[in-house]
Amino acid sequence: QVRLVESGGGSVQAGESLRLSCAVSEVGFNVMCMGWLRQAPGKEREAVASIGRDGAATYAEFVKGRFTISRDNAKKILHLQMDSLQPEDTAMYYCVIDPPAGFPLNRCDVLGDLINYGRSGGQGTQVTVSS
């Protein structure tokens, strides 16, 4: 059974940065796709970014140029570097990985797959940005 533990959230001012981390505990660690979701109170979940085992990344339009996703396969850690944070980035952030059989198209660049098929289960980490 996979265990995901997110960390690195906090309260910052607009324009500042945070770096989120997600430690993945899974026997065999054969995770192809990983990513981040976020959910603000009263809003739907949003897929933020995804990354394949080869490091190829995909970003939602609303974070392009500001956020950078990365992964360390040896250490089983996923990161999200968030720069130029804005109040609208305030949300709970969750780490997500693909299911054991992979996403339907065996690709990591379909952000909607993070929401529809991704495995989460971590507690999430809260990011609060004030203006």
Side-chain angles (χ1 to χ4, degrees):
Q1 183 175 348
V2 66
R3 182 166 178 255
L4 307 173
V5 180
E6 300 95 340
S7 62
S11 296
V12 297
Q13 298 288 320
E16 294 184 342
S17 300
L18 284 172
R19 181 176 171 85
L20 306 184
S21 297
C22 172
V24 182
S25 174
E26 181 178 62
V27 175
F29 191 65
N30 191 29
V31 175
M32 179 178 176
C33 306
M34 306 180 72
W36 292 93
L37 301 177
R38 71 185 188 185
Q39 186 165 24
K43 294 188 177 181
E44 297 288 324
R45 284 182 301 170
E46 296 180 308
V48 176
S50 65
I51 187 168
R53 193 183 295 123
D54 60 358
T58 302
Y59 298 94
E61 284 297 324
F62 51 80
V63 301
K64 276 185 179 179
R66 299 189 299 124
F67 291 10
T68 303
I69 189 171
S70 62
R71 61 189 286 175
D72 185 328
N73 292 327
K75 296 181 179 178
K76 304 180 185 180
I77 296 178
L78 177 70
H79 296 291
L80 185 68
Q81 177 66 39
M82 304 187 297
D83 298 320
S84 301
L85 283 162
Q86 299 300 316
E88 52 265 36
D89 294 317
T90 295
M92 186 72 78
Y93 285 70
Y94 299 92
C95 172
V96 177
I97 64 174
D98 56 3
F103 287 137
L105 298 178
N106 285 320
R107 292 168 52 176
C108 302
D109 60 351
V110 181
L111 291 178
D113 283 350
L114 295 177
I115 297 175
N116 295 327
Y117 305 104
R119 290 184 286 172
S120 56
Q123 296 297 310
T125 186
Q126 177 68 39
V127 172
T128 303
V129 186
S130 56
S131 57

